[in-house]
Amino acid sequence: MITIRPKICAVIIFTVLFIAAPLLAAPSQGHLTVKRYNLARSRYNEIKFSPKTARLNNWQAAARAFVRAYKTNPYSDRAPASLLTLGHIYFKMYKRFNNKDYLHKSLTYYDDLASLFPKHPYADDALYHTARIYALTEGDYKDAALTLARLLAVYPNGDMLKKAARDLLRWKAAQARKEKARSVRVRAAAHNAKMALHMATPGPGMQTAVLKNLRHWSTKDYTRVVIETSKPVIYKGFLLKKQKDHPRRLYINLRNCRISRRMQKTIPIHNGLLRRLRSAQYKPRIGRVVLDMNSVSDYKIFNLEKPFRIVIDIKGVKRRARAQTLLPAPLVPKNPTLAQQLGLRIKRIIIDPGHGGKDPGAIGVGGLREKDIVLKVAKMLARKLRSRLRAQVILTRTRDVFIPLEERTAIANTKDGDLFISIHANAARSPKAHGIETYYLDLTNNKANMRLAASENATSAHNISDLQKILSSLMHNSKKQESAKLAHIVNRNLVDEMDKDYGGIKNHGIKKAPFIVLIGAQMPSILTEIAFITNPKTAKRLRQHKYLEDLADGLANGIIQYTKVLDLARR
Ligand SMILES: [Zn+2]
């Protein structure tokens, strides 16, 4: 679409209500907590007095006892001591049994203590031990020094002050030696494998940005987090402690970004892949958002503009891949697609009516609005699919409301959709333009396709070329082949259905372009432009209920045919 849209007002929609952090140590403590804590303490003492003879199961029993005491009341005044001791126990287990999982657990407990009980006298102990682990076992003097710097700044009256100051000098010196050695092999350092570096266009004069909003969606094996800042920032993502199949912490540093007290928070999330989302002012000029993950098998970070936002997509480690639970299909057609090979059925379809709320989409003849047309067609399509296919159908919006593009994809992924259909209407400068076209996500050199994507993405054409660069690194896991097939079948059926009743329907065919709404979708996904609302004849028809019903029929025919093609493989 090339129509000029009204300016989008800069209202920020807070779609996520932040959950308040848990209360700090409750004043009362149950008798049971004390009893269990004392029991755990005595188990631990037994090991401490005879460390040579203690076996792995003695250590594990002591750790379990502290976990039990902690869980009896996670807010009791014994909870910080339990967490601290768990950190110690697992660190000693790591030393004794040389298993990195224990080291990892140790860090987790220290971190839980520091973030859940920041005002407790043990909080600085946790930071101190964390820094020691970074330095002595990981050789990460930089993070060790940063952790201690934080300790000194936040706990100037704590009992760890002297030790922290002493170690800080040590780790800084070690870091300087390391950097000197590293400068000899500059080239190798440039490719630090664990570092995912993403550069965004820095704002003019590098003024400080402000963290405005954090949004998140999570299921058992998928998480999307969106960080919104007041202006573009340079950001880097780091995946920490990646060991075997237990990576777990991803953090994003936001350069020149301020995070206000109000936005510095810990959001505990107890369901799904994302365990906890935290934001804090890491250094005076660096804001940090930390994602504590249950697992990470793959992650991607990219940024969108207007407003500037950083999108983090994470896939977890699936306990059992769906492919393994199904027997191979007995009869496979020529050139079977992936979904056919896996014998997947279409159980849930996500339909996305484009635009909505403050974003009207394209404006057509007589003030016809894209957002209204596509919502009507989407609702009709949902009804038809429910009755004809008996599939579950989920709409990303059922009323005139604004939903950011990246949230629509997140809905499709978190609802575990098998297909994603985004419905739009086209616009052109020339009132003569008419017809139907369907897109799937891919890079493109075609100027017209890029213009359309820029319009649907509500960004500049310049941003599209940036998006293409990002996309080239995101594409390898997309369902491109399946999406192209879905696009082809749906487009063909839609054109046929409309041509049958009205004649002269122009088929613009299947096209590809970088649509934001399709980026990161984990299922075959398409964006279809069902009509040109800038064509007078079409606009007149779009005001008729019957024409919209026919459009919905055409789309439904296509989706149903696609599922039948898939089912061929199962017969
Ligand atoms: Zn649109």
Side-chain angles (χ1 to χ4, degrees):
M1 283 164 297
I2 310 140
T3 49
I4 297 158
R5 298 216 184 115
K7 268 192 181 173
I8 291 168
C9 64
V11 175
I12 287 138
I13 311 272
F14 283 81
T15 49
V16 175
L17 291 174
F18 291 107
I19 304 156
L23 292 170
L24 297 182
S28 71
Q29 88 210 22
H31 174 66
L32 190 60
T33 314
V34 178
K35 198 176 139 194
R36 285 182 173 165
Y37 176 81
N38 290 339
L39 187 71
R41 182 59 56 196
S42 69
R43 274 189 188 276
Y44 182 41
N45 284 339
E46 280 170 29
I47 302 172
K48 276 213 306 206
F49 290 124
S50 52
K52 290 269 154 63
T53 54
R55 292 201 209 123
L56 179 60
N57 58 355
N58 300 120
W59 285 94
Q60 285 171 329
R64 272 200 305 274
F66 275 107
V67 169
R68 197 158 169 243
Y70 171 69
K71 283 190 172 167
T72 307
N73 181 359
Y75 307 117
S76 82
D77 60 5
R78 301 292 155 112
S82 292
L83 292 173
L84 185 68
T85 315
L86 279 162
H88 294 345
I89 288 178
Y90 277 111
F91 183 67
K92 285 177 179 165
M93 285 172 74
Y94 159 70
K95 299 279 266 187
R96 174 88 199 270
F97 303 105
N98 195 25
N99 180 338
K100 270 216 153 189
D101 281 349
Y102 297 140
L103 183 65
H104 186 60
K105 280 195 171 173
S106 169
L107 278 171
T108 311
Y109 283 114
Y110 287 139
D111 185 66
D112 280 347
L113 172 52
S115 32
L116 295 173
F117 299 94
K119 288 178 184 163
H120 193 275
Y122 285 161
D124 57 344
D125 294 60
L127 289 179
Y128 177 76
H129 289 290
T130 300
R132 260 182 92 76
I133 290 177
Y134 284 155
L136 296 178
T137 67
E138 313 272 298
D140 189 347
Y141 303 113
K142 208 171 176 181
D143 266 356
L146 288 170
T147 306
L148 290 178
R150 184 175 144 211
L151 187 160
L152 295 173
V154 181
Y155 304 100
N157 302 317
D159 60 342
M160 304 307 284
L161 199 67
K162 254 188 178 172
K163 283 164 101 176
R166 184 199 65 203
D167 278 9
L168 180 59
L169 292 176
R170 273 174 74 190
W171 308 147
K172 273 189 169 170
Q175 173 65 13
R177 282 196 299 275
K178 202 173 154 185
E179 268 168 17
K180 205 174 163 192
R182 190 188 285 162
S183 67
V184 183
R185 42 195 166 87
V186 183
R187 280 178 64 112
H191 294 280
N192 189 344
K194 78 169 183 179
M195 182 187 297
L197 172 65
H198 297 271
M199 302 287 283
T201 324
M206 290 301 293
Q207 292 149 322
T208 307
V210 175
L211 177 67
K212 298 200 80 165
N213 199 1
L214 278 176
R215 290 177 283 146
H216 62 88
W217 300 265
S218 194
T219 63
K220 279 194 165 52
D221 44 33
Y222 164 81
T223 285
R224 172 169 276 194
V225 171
V226 176
I227 303 168
E228 211 174 293
T229 53
S230 61
K231 59 176 64 187
V233 297
I234 292 176
Y235 59 96
K236 270 185 193 176
F238 300 85
L239 184 62
L240 274 192
K241 315 290 172 245
K242 188 174 195 286
Q243 30 172 302
K244 285 174 199 149
D245 45 7
H246 276 87
R248 38 155 275 131
R249 180 169 305 165
L250 183 69
Y251 67 82
I252 321 294
N253 278 355
L254 310 167
R255 207 185 290 176
N256 263 314
C257 182
R258 206 160 43 75
I259 302 183
S260 68
R261 277 261 170 84
R262 192 180 58 80
M263 288 300 290
Q264 295 194 24
K265 58 183 89 192
T266 295
I267 307 166
I269 300 152
H270 295 295
N271 299 318
L273 185 61
L274 183 62
R275 228 184 97 196
R276 205 163 52 181
L277 185 59
R278 290 177 285 153
S279 54
Q281 194 70 44
Y282 173 57
K283 286 209 271 183
R285 298 178 77 82
I286 298 181
R288 179 178 276 187
V289 175
V290 183
L291 286 70
D292 288 331
M293 309 300 302
N294 281 328
S295 71
V296 177
S297 75
D298 188 22
Y299 74 100
K300 296 185 174 89
I301 308 176
F302 57 96
N303 68 277
L304 303 172
E305 290 188 359
K306 291 183 182 177
F308 182 84
R309 54 223 199 268
I310 300 162
V311 181
I312 304 137
D313 269 355
I314 302 171
K315 279 186 199 170
V317 178
K318 281 197 178 179
R319 274 154 301 171
R320 217 161 39 139
R322 264 201 268 186
Q324 290 165 351
T325 65
L326 290 161
L327 293 169
L331 190 143
V332 180
K334 266 186 193 170
N335 303 321
T337 57
L338 188 65
Q340 283 173 335
Q341 287 164 25
L342 301 182
L344 301 180
R345 273 173 181 280
I346 305 302
K347 295 191 192 81
R348 197 170 298 134
I349 298 167
I350 314 293
I351 298 174
D352 173 46
H355 313 278
K358 68 185 182 186
D359 171 15
I363 306 290
V365 179
L368 201 61
R369 296 185 303 187
E370 181 185 0
K371 67 171 183 177
D372 300 328
I373 298 294
V374 296
L375 180 59
K376 282 181 192 163
V377 173
K379 283 181 172 174
M380 291 170 181
L381 175 60
R383 265 200 306 277
K384 289 175 197 294
L385 289 174
R386 281 180 193 126
S387 68
R388 288 175 63 187
L389 202 57
R390 303 226 171 125
Q392 192 186 353
V393 181
I394 294 168
L395 292 160
T396 54
R397 67 178 179 100
T398 52
R399 55 199 176 86
D400 185 16
V401 62
F402 176 78
I403 299 173
L405 294 168
E406 69 276 13
E407 184 170 338
R408 297 165 189 255
T409 330
I411 292 170
N413 287 343
T414 48
K415 298 290 181 192
D416 214 6
D418 297 310
L419 296 178
F420 181 65
I421 318 283
S422 190
I423 302 177
H424 288 254
N426 225 326
R429 278 205 194 95
S430 163
K432 285 181 187 163
H434 67 98
I436 292 167
E437 60 193 20
T438 302
Y439 285 81
Y440 64 96
L441 179 70
D442 202 355
L443 305 172
T444 182
N445 290 321
N446 183 295
K447 287 271 177 335
N449 296 3
M450 281 163 83
R451 263 203 310 276
L452 179 73
S455 176
E456 294 293 15
N457 292 343
T459 69
S460 62
H462 169 75
N463 187 228
I464 290 296
S465 67
D466 285 347
L467 206 57
Q468 298 236 70
K469 278 180 219 147
I470 295 166
L471 203 58
S472 61
S473 70
L474 297 180
M475 282 304 290
H476 70 278
N477 262 339
S478 74
K479 299 261 192 306
K480 192 161 94 180
Q481 203 196 346
E482 280 301 316
S483 299
K485 182 149 207 158
L486 176 64
H488 176 78
I489 295 176
V490 168
N491 195 73
R492 180 79 259 163
N493 276 273
L494 182 56
V495 170
D496 285 353
E497 176 70 24
M498 302 315 284
D499 205 45
K500 188 179 74 187
D501 290 351
Y502 303 91
I505 300 292
K506 191 165 182 186
N507 184 1
H508 295 282
I510 308 308
K511 296 177 176 179
K512 43 194 190 174
F515 291 105
I516 290 172
V517 74
L518 302 181
I519 295 177
Q522 296 183 333
M523 67 292 300
S525 48
I526 58 171
L527 184 148
T528 176
E529 300 277 356
I530 55 174
F532 276 80
I533 63 172
T534 42
N535 178 281
K537 198 164 147 191
T538 311
K540 205 173 161 190
R541 285 172 172 171
L542 285 169
R543 292 180 187 280
Q544 296 160 7
H545 183 81
K546 171 77 169 56
Y547 194 79
L548 302 183
E549 284 280 358
D550 289 338
L551 284 167
D553 274 327
L555 291 167
N557 293 346
I559 292 163
I560 290 165
Q561 195 189 330
Y562 176 80
T563 66
K564 279 184 182 159
V565 170
L566 291 189
D567 279 351
L568 267 181
R570 296 171 61 87
R571 280 186 207 140

